[in-house]
Amino acid sequence: MLISMNWINDFVDLSGLDLPALIQRFTLSTAEVEDVFEMGRDLRGVVAGKIISVENHPDSKKLHLLKVDGGDKIYDVVCGAPNVREGLIVPFVKEGGMVGGQEIGMAKLAGYESHGMCCSERELGISADHSGLMELPDDTPVGRDVTELYGIIDTVFEVDNKSLTNRPDLWGHYGIAREFAALSGRELKPLETVSLKQFDNLEPIDIDVQDKELCYRYSGLKVRNITKKVSPVDMRIRLFYCGSRAINLLADLTNYLMLEMGQPMHAFDCAKVDSIRVKRFDAPFTFTTLDGTERRVDENTLMICTKSGNGLEDTPVAVAGIMGGLDSEIEDDTDSLLLESANFDAASVRKSSTRMGLRTDASMRYEKTLDPEMTVPAIGRFMKLLLDIDPGAQVISKLTDVYVKHYPKVELSFDKGYVDRYTGIEIDDGRIIDTLLSLGFEARQEGGRFTVGVPSWRATKDVTIKADIIEEITRIYGYDNFDIATTMSPLYPRRRSAGAKADNFVKDILVQTYGLHEVHSYIWQDAKKCRILGIEPEDNIKLINAQTPDHEVIRRSMGPTLLSVVQENRAFGADFGVFEIGRAAEGLNEDGLVNERKKLGIALFSRTLEERELYLKLAGIMKALGQSVKRTELRLANCEPRFKWQHPRNTAVIMAEGEALGWICTLTPSVLGSIDRKAAVVCGQLDMDMFSELKEGGLSYKEPGRFPGIDIDLSVVMPEGMRFADMEPAWEGSGYLAGVSLIDSFRQAGRRSLTLRFGFSSLEKTLSKEEVQPIVDGIIEKLGEAGAVLRS
């Protein structure tokens, strides 16, 4: 949010103070200031100039030859603006002056010398309007510096919105001014408003709040005979400096009040809206908002409607707290309005804004739980500004105020000892009272006890307990004024759980041994990314407050998430792998709570390895994790795919102690093609909750052999359905056998063939082939009994 110090000065006199130091103190005490901008300081020698003659350029249809009175002399100027005319007073940069940080000198344009420059508002940096020269009032003194005429020179700072989340009172300049008044010890001026009681004799507006759960207060006033259409220059400058744009007087006034008081307002054309109904509809419908977009409104969205005649259903004219409707907008010829100043349920506005994909300045403020007490003062302030600009405007209704929900009055009591214990320092009683009073609290002291009444603008959710009062006292006192002292506290080592140990061990192995990259993602299933992969999003547990419909389903598997990472980073290299230990949800438990599981997901990508080789590499990684972390054997077995994107034949389940811990798989051709048709991609998943609960196998040590061993390779053909684990009994317990490894695997004539390498060694001697051969023959015989035969 952008804050204008000129605007702040309307409410608290900061003259003579060091503004940069004060803004820095605001950062330390209240909210983080992200940046500071010095506006208008790049202007020099810009005065009110009067065009005294206009001639068309002889060789150009667009250029004009002007004579401009700059107050000190007449300047010859070449100008191409469409609205030049004799007698017009405009901002004029004299020769040698500066605008936009650029010095203006004599220039020759189309054969004629130009000794200055007439400016548009955009060239002055006070708006985005570049349609023509800025037109100053006819009574503007010629030669007067424009920075003296208007509030162009200003200091604007940007506040981090996140630091204001729990401070709804700071979403307007007046709330910020209250902070500066407390920090500087200066007086906060009251807002000038029009007394609305003078209109109590007029007819009320027909306002019916039908949904009393979501609308806390709705205040309205009708005004007619509005003749002014354009906002004053200073108002337009402030709106522009604070990130808004000028539209017309009535729209600008509502935006100005929102930026000044933090209270969103809306002006309806009285010719189109003369009554108000606040309600939800029973069925969804489409509604066109002010930005010209048709939006779907569901039955949970609060709407502002106007009463229709002849018994017809009420006509919606605005989405409550978010945006008005196109059909009821204020137009250039509007001369009467129905002014809305309301307060809505914060959660309802946030959810409706999210569902519609429409977040506005108004909705951002309502989401913070605004003070309902602001609605009527905001109308009084609106009328004060409107009547100052357009004195002929007439109020034609009494203030109609439907106040549905009152927040309870918050009063807190504590003693001086409580303050001293919390702060650890001695703060004078008088300073405590003065600090609280300067922030708008009611504070009184009886003996050593303080009683504090919390103002309504801090009582909606911000200040609710005694500790909150301590925070108010200490932040204004200044955290930098506290003495730095080291506390004497015992520190104990934190024991890591079995799950945390397993997680860290697994990460170390994947990074250090296999060179994989760890990634971090969100827990939801990104439907948009799934569609890019050609993966149909699965139905699962849904988030009620999802930011978009694409993020409302909690993922069931880590697979699509990591495949999306691979797809987005496929240009990273020819071979790489990613992994993540994250959360996934597998439906609901019997108690109705989400069955949330911790999963390890791995995805490998390669342009140099065949898919079979990459698949075996992933299988090896999973087995290595079992051996290294739990000293247990993880076995693989063919299984039916669990997800549609898994290959129907190349999917295996990971087993341990009779339980399925996860899976590995290749991808269907369509999903693989959406990533890279010329690459191989495999992925796998391991349930880390189950994995961490596995019993650790015994740790045994084996003396390395001093004598060379013998390797024997056997190529066997396996019958359909046989697994690697089915062959292991054939060599278990064989003498001198040190280990068995898989060298190759392929299919031929519909049958699967494996090449196995058997390593034999002895601690006592060098083995000969004659000693090993009988053992190999026995293995071959047992393999044959199991159905696996040597490949001929």
Side-chain angles (χ1 to χ4, degrees), residues 223-227 229 250 269 331-337:
V223 185
R224 72 177 180 188
N225 198 36
I226 301 167
T227 58
K229 306 301 178 184
L250 297 180
D269 189 330
E331 297 176 341
D332 291 340
D333 60 349
T334 298
D335 62 357
S336 62
L337 66 88

Side-chain angles (χ1 to χ4, degrees), residues 635 724-734 779 782-783 786:
R635 299 178 181 272
F724 184 87
D726 297 331
M727 298 188 295
E728 288 183 329
W731 57 75
E732 286 181 349
S734 298
I779 293 173
K782 291 179 181 180
L783 286 173

Side-chain angles (χ1 to χ4, degrees), residues 45-181:
V46 184
V47 301
K50 185 173 184 179
I51 301 175
I52 57 177
S53 72
V54 179
E55 295 180 11
N56 292 330
H57 192 288
D59 301 321
S60 173
K61 295 181 179 180
K62 294 183 178 180
L63 297 178
H64 302 88
L65 306 179
L66 313 180
K67 290 191 180 295
V68 179
D69 182 0
D72 54 350
K73 66 176 184 177
I74 307 301
Y75 293 83
D76 291 320
V77 178
V78 181
C79 179
N83 62 329
V84 293
R85 61 181 183 274
E86 289 185 7
L88 180 65
I89 299 179
V90 299
F92 175 67
V93 189
K94 298 179 180 179
E95 185 177 350
M98 180 179 291
V99 64
Q102 181 178 356
E103 186 170 323
I104 303 300
M106 189 279 291
K108 215 165 191 180
L109 301 175
Y112 288 81
E113 290 185 355
S114 182
H115 296 269
M117 175 181 171
C118 299
C119 298
S120 67
E121 292 186 2
R122 189 174 79 180
E123 288 164 335
L124 293 178
I126 61 174
S127 88
D129 184 9
H130 195 53
S131 60
L133 300 179
M134 179 181 180
E135 300 188 13
L136 303 181
D138 293 340
D139 58 353
T140 303
V142 174
R144 185 82 173 270
D145 195 305
V146 295
T147 60
E148 298 174 3
L149 296 171
Y150 305 111
I152 296 176
I153 295 178
D154 195 359
T155 298
V156 176
F157 63 90
E158 184 175 10
V159 179
D160 176 24
N161 286 350
K162 295 189 292 297
S163 61
L164 302 179
T165 299
N166 294 317
R167 291 292 304 272
D169 61 307
L170 296 185
W171 284 79
H173 278 72
Y174 194 70
I176 300 287
R178 185 183 294 112
E179 294 289 312
F180 276 108

Side-chain angles (χ1 to χ4, degrees), residues 540-585:
N540 198 19
I541 307 300
K542 293 184 178 180
L543 293 170
I544 295 176
N545 60 339
Q547 293 293 318
T548 70
D550 284 342
H551 296 163
E552 67 179 359
V553 179
I554 301 296
R555 65 188 174 196
R556 188 181 290 270
S557 161
M558 298 293 293
T561 300
L562 294 179
L563 292 176
S564 294
V565 174
V566 169
Q567 190 271 338
E568 292 168 353
N569 293 277
R570 61 190 184 277
F572 172 78
D575 298 270
F576 67 90
V578 295
F579 75 92
E580 179 183 8
I581 296 178
R583 299 281 177 172

Side-chain angles (χ1 to χ4, degrees), residues 658-706:
E659 296 284 342
L661 272 61
W663 45 261
I664 63 171
C665 72
T666 61
L667 310 178
T668 59
S670 61
V671 175
L672 178 60
S674 67
I675 298 175
D676 193 326
R677 294 185 180 278
K678 297 181 179 180
V681 180
V682 297
C683 68
Q685 179 175 282
L686 192 64
D687 189 312
M688 292 301 293
D689 292 324
M690 298 178 67
F691 182 71
S692 64
E693 292 172 1
L694 291 177
K695 294 180 180 179
E696 290 191 11
L699 188 61
S700 60
Y701 299 92
K702 186 177 181 181
E703 182 184 350
R706 293 179 297 161

Side-chain angles (χ1 to χ4, degrees), residues 220-480:
L221 191 74
K222 286 184 178 180
V223 185
R224 72 177 180 188
N225 198 36
I226 301 167
T227 58
K228 304 289 186 181
K229 306 301 178 184
V230 180
S231 306
V233 174
D234 279 325
M235 179 178 289
R236 301 203 307 270
I237 291 174
R238 287 185 178 181
L239 288 174
F240 182 72
Y241 282 179
C242 293
S244 188
R245 66 182 180 90
I247 302 172
N248 54 52
L249 174 61
L250 297 180
D252 292 350
L253 275 173
T254 58
N255 289 333
Y256 190 86
L257 260 296
M258 179 178 66
L259 295 175
E260 182 173 84
M261 297 182 64
Q263 172 63 46
M265 306 179 78
H266 191 73
F268 296 104
D269 189 330
C270 216
K272 303 171 185 177
V273 179
D274 64 352
S275 61
I276 295 294
R277 300 288 182 269
V278 186
K279 58 185 283 188
R280 283 178 282 184
F281 286 81
D282 296 331
F285 62 95
T286 57
F287 178 73
T288 305
T289 46
L290 274 173
D291 57 0
T293 303
E294 278 197 0
R295 303 183 185 276
R296 182 180 182 275
V297 176
D298 64 17
E299 59 274 13
N300 296 314
T301 301
L302 189 67
M303 298 295 295
I304 309 300
C305 307
T306 188
K307 185 177 179 181
S308 299
N310 302 322
L312 299 176
E313 188 173 22
D314 297 331
T315 303
V317 293
V319 185
I322 300 177
M323 184 177 280
L326 186 63
D327 294 339
S328 60
E329 72 171 326
I330 295 293
E331 297 176 341
D332 291 340
D333 60 349
T334 298
D335 62 357
S336 62
L337 66 88
L338 190 160
L339 182 63
E340 167 196 283
S341 183
N343 188 276
F344 304 107
D345 176 71
S348 170
V349 173
R350 176 178 55 78
K351 291 176 182 178
S352 296
S353 173
T354 299
R355 287 194 301 270
M356 300 177 72
L358 178 62
R359 199 154 188 257
T360 61
D361 288 335
S363 70
M364 281 194 295
R365 285 165 171 79
Y366 279 121
E367 289 171 11
K368 307 303 182 289
T369 314
L370 295 180
D371 176 18
E373 295 293 329
M374 286 201 303
T375 64
V376 172
I379 292 178
R381 179 64 174 168
F382 181 97
M383 289 308 305
K384 172 67 170 64
L385 296 176
L386 176 61
L387 292 174
D388 285 348
I389 298 167
D390 192 352
Q394 298 176 352
V395 176
I396 57 173
S397 79
K398 69 179 293 185
L399 171 71
T400 307
D401 183 28
V402 182
Y403 205 157
V404 177
K405 176 180 177 178
H406 294 259
Y407 281 94
K409 175 76 174 176
V410 178
E411 190 170 270
L412 302 169
S413 182
F414 52 90
D415 57 26
K416 181 63 163 56
Y418 180 81
V419 179
D420 294 341
R421 286 193 304 273
Y422 250 82
T423 61
I425 59 174
E426 181 76 23
I427 302 178
D428 293 340
D429 293 0
R431 187 160 187 176
I432 292 174
I433 293 292
D434 291 343
T435 297
L436 294 173
L437 291 175
S438 69
L439 292 171
F441 291 81
E442 298 172 359
R444 63 182 185 275
Q445 183 181 12
E446 297 177 1
R449 193 156 194 84
F450 298 90
T451 301
V452 178
V454 180
S456 61
W457 59 84
R458 300 295 300 276
T460 58
K461 68 174 183 179
D462 180 22
V463 179
T464 57
I465 59 177
K466 293 186 291 183
D468 295 331
I469 299 295
I470 303 301
E471 181 184 359
E472 295 302 301
I473 297 169
T474 53
R475 70 183 183 84
I476 299 300
Y477 179 82
Y479 296 122
D480 51 335

Side-chain angles (χ1 to χ4, degrees), residues 483-676:
D483 292 331
I484 299 175
T486 302
T487 59
M488 299 296 291
S489 303
L491 298 177
Y492 301 102
R494 179 176 176 270
R495 292 186 177 276
R496 291 189 298 171
S497 65
K501 288 181 181 178
D503 292 353
N504 291 337
F505 202 172
V506 165
K507 290 180 181 180
D508 288 344
I509 293 171
L510 295 178
V511 172
Q512 296 174 11
T513 304
Y514 295 99
L516 303 190
H517 303 272
E518 185 179 9
V519 298
H520 296 278
S521 63
Y522 294 108
I523 193 172
W524 54 73
Q525 175 181 256
D526 194 316
K528 182 178 180 181
K529 292 183 178 180
C530 284
R531 289 192 292 270
I532 293 173
L533 293 173
I535 295 176
E536 182 181 344
E538 287 192 89
D539 192 26
N540 198 19
I541 307 300
K542 293 184 178 180
L543 293 170
I544 295 176
N545 60 339
Q547 293 293 318
T548 70
D550 284 342
H551 296 163
E552 67 179 359
V553 179
I554 301 296
R555 65 188 174 196
R556 188 181 290 270
S557 161
M558 298 293 293
T561 300
L562 294 179
L563 292 176
S564 294
V565 174
V566 169
Q567 190 271 338
E568 292 168 353
N569 293 277
R570 61 190 184 277
F572 172 78
D575 298 270
F576 67 90
V578 295
F579 75 92
E580 179 183 8
I581 296 178
R583 299 281 177 172
E586 297 181 350
L588 298 176
N589 292 318
E590 293 180 359
D591 58 5
L593 298 179
V594 176
N595 181 19
E596 186 176 326
R597 309 290 298 177
K598 184 166 61 174
K599 307 280 189 179
L600 164 66
I602 301 177
L604 305 181
F605 174 92
S606 179
R607 290 195 180 94
T608 62
L609 298 179
E610 296 292 333
E611 185 177 72
R612 174 177 53 82
E613 296 175 286
L614 199 61
Y615 181 83
L616 292 176
K617 179 180 178 180
L618 180 56
I621 291 174
M622 291 297 189
K623 284 178 170 288
L625 293 178
Q627 289 286 357
S628 301
V629 180
K630 289 294 182 178
R631 295 188 293 278
T632 190
E633 184 73 21
L634 298 184
R635 299 178 181 272
L636 300 178
N638 289 334
C639 68
E640 292 296 320
R642 186 177 176 187
F643 305 104
K644 294 180 180 179
W645 45 269
Q646 292 178 319
H647 196 283
R649 298 184 63 179
N650 299 328
T651 299
V653 64
I654 302 172
M655 303 289 296
E657 299 179 0
E659 296 284 342
L661 272 61
W663 45 261
I664 63 171
C665 72
T666 61
L667 310 178
T668 59
S670 61
V671 175
L672 178 60
S674 67
I675 298 175
D676 193 326

